[in-house]
Amino acid sequence: MFLTDTLKNKMIQNVFYSFVICFLLCGPLVKSIRTNRLHGEIGNENSPLQSGISEEWRAVPWAIDDLKLGQVSGVSLDPNDNVYIFHRGERKWEYSTFTNKNVYTGKASGPIKDSAILIFDSEGRTLNKLGANMFFLPHGITVDNDFNIWVTDVALHQVFKLSPNSSKILLKLGEEFVPGSDSKHFCKPTSVAVLANGDFFVADGYCNSRIMKFNSGGKMILEWGRGTSGYRPDNYQLRVPHALTLIEDKGLLCTADRENGRIICYTTKDGTYATQYSSEFMGSRLFSVAYSSIFGGRLFVVNGPSSSALIPVQGFVLSLNGQILGNFGSGLKNPHDVATSSNGSVVYVVEIGPNRAWKFVYNNPGTTVPQVTETPKLFPQESKPAEINKSSDDGEGLTGAILVTVSCFVFAFGLLIIIMYYSKSKKSGNGDTKRLLSNREY
């Protein structure tokens, strides 16, 4: 049987209309299923998003609350738990700060006049101020086991190593104001992590989406990572590796893969993929991660504003097997970096807009935070990502959505057939419906 072009076009239009009807009927319903599920999870007293499931944290005032800070981009602790803040003074990162080729546009303004590095004790009393007239747009800060200070400047496209408690430069990598992607250039580097033997890693984050390993003398010995394409990045596709933390007792380096919404970990020896952490409860943007060996290992993660109003901006405490143990910082707006004390009982978070540094203290009545004394077990490497809180609810929610969608399609298509039949019959009788089936018979 053959159909005329007119009839073919009408059938195509009708199929299209059925899809439109299905979308209009099912879209809100499917979205409602997922939204209600997420609302239910947030409201459930057993949800990992409820404060104090197994850990409780409270914000405490400290001396630097009264300081006027610029955009606070980084925070780190030294071996004595002194706090190092990296901020931008009067300088701001705005839309016009870089050209479309990642060249900094504010060079003529000169370096930031204020001391960009502020050092405090755990109570917030000022110990030192460093880095005046040195930096143009600060980003990450790390203090190693020997109290050396490592910083990144995204405007200069450089990495600096400063001697303890001073502004003396011991090592400088990258070419000033020149972005690049080879072994001697960076493009807006974000963070540094330093091994006990002096070797170190740099997250070359905003442009190159790579992680680089250097020996203690500053020679690059390893590189991995590339930009993300598509919605399902593989284990080496990164999208703004924004912060680094070492799980050195287990031979791992983890990065907050910001725009991919995950914490992803590699071996420190050769950059082999080990595992990753992500969850719809933490959202699609994870800005920073810090590690403490307390209780066999804890990761402290802060997310950032996302497209979903259901995902609050806050911090999360994770076990290394991927369980969300608690959350902190319900008053956070735009966290940029996180650091934790040596025993994991205090967490510091810095924000950009509002420009503030927060201090959160572990406060679970009747529970103390012990020092880790036993020899840690080796962290198991995994061949596939380790998902957080992967429960039967995920499968049930997906199955329900699929069933609802299929049912809507059937209903919409049936409704369309009835409408077509009624319309044709009303115009020219039942005999006209036969002409839809075969033009050759009449």
Side-chain angles (χ1 to χ4, degrees):
M1 295 187 295
F2 298 95
L3 298 176
T4 65
D5 290 340
T6 300
L7 291 177
K8 286 181 182 179
N9 291 335
K10 287 184 177 180
M11 291 185 68
I12 292 173
Q13 290 176 358
N14 289 334
V15 171
F16 172 74
Y17 292 148
S18 70
F19 276 97
V20 172
I21 293 173
C22 180
F23 175 79
L24 293 175
L25 290 173
C26 301
L29 185 56
V30 173
K31 181 178 180 181
S32 175
I33 289 175
R34 185 183 184 280
T35 300
N36 289 335
R37 174 173 170 264
L38 194 53
H39 267 304
E41 191 65 35
I42 292 174
N44 182 356
E45 64 178 5
N46 295 317
S47 167
L49 295 186
Q50 292 294 320
S51 298
I53 297 305
S54 60
E55 299 185 6
E56 293 182 357
W57 298 84
R58 62 185 176 91
V60 297
W62 60 321
I64 78 166
D65 286 342
D66 297 327
L67 291 181
K68 184 178 180 180
L69 299 170
Q71 293 183 336
V72 195
S73 60
V75 60
S76 184
L77 274 66
D78 69 18
N80 290 336
D81 284 343
N82 295 315
V83 185
Y84 294 63
I85 299 293
F86 203 25
H87 77 115
R88 296 171 181 163
E90 80 283 358
R91 199 66 46 87
K92 294 181 180 180
W93 189 344
E94 299 173 318
Y95 178 79
S96 60
T97 299
F98 292 89
T99 70
N100 57 6
K101 294 185 178 180
N102 298 304
V103 175
Y104 180 61
T105 60
K107 181 179 178 180
S109 300
I112 298 169
K113 297 178 178 61
D114 298 334
S115 297
I117 301 172
L118 307 176
I119 307 175
F120 308 92
D121 65 14
S122 59
E123 298 303 317
R125 293 181 288 263
T126 302
L127 299 178
N128 204 352
K129 297 181 180 181
L130 309 171
N133 296 301
M134 286 185 66
F135 305 108
F136 283 77
L137 202 60
H139 198 275
I141 185 168
T142 299
V143 185
D144 66 24
N145 293 336
D146 296 319
F147 296 85
N148 298 302
I149 306 168
W150 300 75
V151 294
T152 64
D153 188 311
V154 291
L156 291 169
H157 305 289
Q158 288 181 309
V159 175
F160 298 86
K161 176 185 178 182
L162 308 180
S163 62
N165 209 32
S166 81
S167 299
K168 180 181 178 181
I169 299 175
L170 301 179
L171 181 67
K172 181 168 60 176
L173 298 177
E175 185 176 355
E176 189 175 288
F177 294 114
V178 180
S181 58
D182 57 30
S183 62
K184 297 185 182 299
H185 290 84
F186 305 103
C187 188
K188 300 176 185 172
T190 55
S191 183
V192 177
V194 187
L195 293 167
N197 67 357
D199 293 350
F200 61 96
F201 301 87
V202 175
D204 193 18
Y206 284 98
C207 319
N208 293 323
S209 294
R210 62 178 176 174
I211 297 173
M212 308 164 74
K213 183 178 180 180
F214 298 82
N215 66 18
S216 58
K219 180 181 178 181
M220 193 184 80
I221 55 179
L222 187 64
E223 174 187 349
W224 70 88
R226 62 189 186 280
T228 297
S229 60
Y231 295 101
R232 294 184 178 273
D234 65 32
N235 298 331
Y236 291 92
Q237 286 180 307
L238 304 173
R239 192 176 177 190
V240 190
H242 196 254
L244 297 174
T245 193
L246 281 166
I247 310 180
E248 193 163 2
D249 51 355
K250 297 169 178 59
L252 294 178
L253 172 80
C254 299
T255 184
D257 187 12
R258 194 182 81 178
E259 299 303 314
N260 282 329
R262 61 183 178 177
I263 305 299
I264 188 164
C265 305
Y266 305 90
T267 61
T268 56
K269 181 180 179 180
D270 56 12
T272 300
Y273 167 78
T275 190
Q276 64 179 277
Y277 307 88
S278 63
S279 168
E280 64 178 314
F281 303 120
M282 294 195 298
S284 59
R285 304 176 78 216
L286 301 183
F287 274 68
S288 188
V289 58
Y291 171 75
S292 171
S293 56
I294 186 69
F295 296 132
R298 294 288 186 265
L299 290 171
F300 298 85
V301 180
V302 288
N303 65 3
S306 66
S307 58
S308 174
L310 291 175
I311 306 299
V313 176
Q314 60 184 316
F316 300 87
V317 185
L318 314 181
S319 66
L320 290 185
N321 65 8
Q323 182 181 5
I324 299 179
L325 302 175
N327 59 301
F328 58 89
S330 59
L332 295 173
K333 302 297 183 184
N334 196 20
H336 198 259
D337 199 13
V338 63
T340 182
S341 61
S342 56
N343 68 356
S345 64
V346 183
V347 176
Y348 299 89
V349 177
V350 295
E351 289 192 279
I352 293 179
N355 302 327
R356 182 174 177 182
W358 293 77
K359 180 180 180 180
F360 299 96
V361 176
Y362 182 92
N363 186 39
N364 195 343
T367 303
T368 58
V369 181
Q371 298 284 349
V372 176
T373 57
E374 73 268 18
T375 302
K377 297 179 181 179
L378 292 177
F379 189 69
Q381 295 188 20
E382 303 179 12
S383 58
K384 60 181 180 180
E387 296 181 0
I388 290 179
N389 288 345
K390 185 176 182 180
S391 65
S392 58
D393 290 342
D394 293 333
E396 291 172 1
L398 179 61
T399 301
I402 292 174
L403 291 175
V404 170
T405 302
V406 171
S407 300
C408 286
F409 268 113
V410 173
F411 174 75
F413 193 75
L415 181 63
L416 185 64
I417 294 297
I418 293 173
I419 293 173
M420 290 169 54
Y421 179 82
Y422 177 78
S423 176
K424 289 292 182 181
S425 297
K426 186 175 181 179
K427 289 182 179 180
S428 53
N430 289 336
D432 285 349
T433 61
K434 295 180 181 180
R435 294 191 181 96
L436 295 174
L437 300 178
S438 174
N439 188 50
R440 199 170 55 169
E441 295 178 358
Y442 296 92

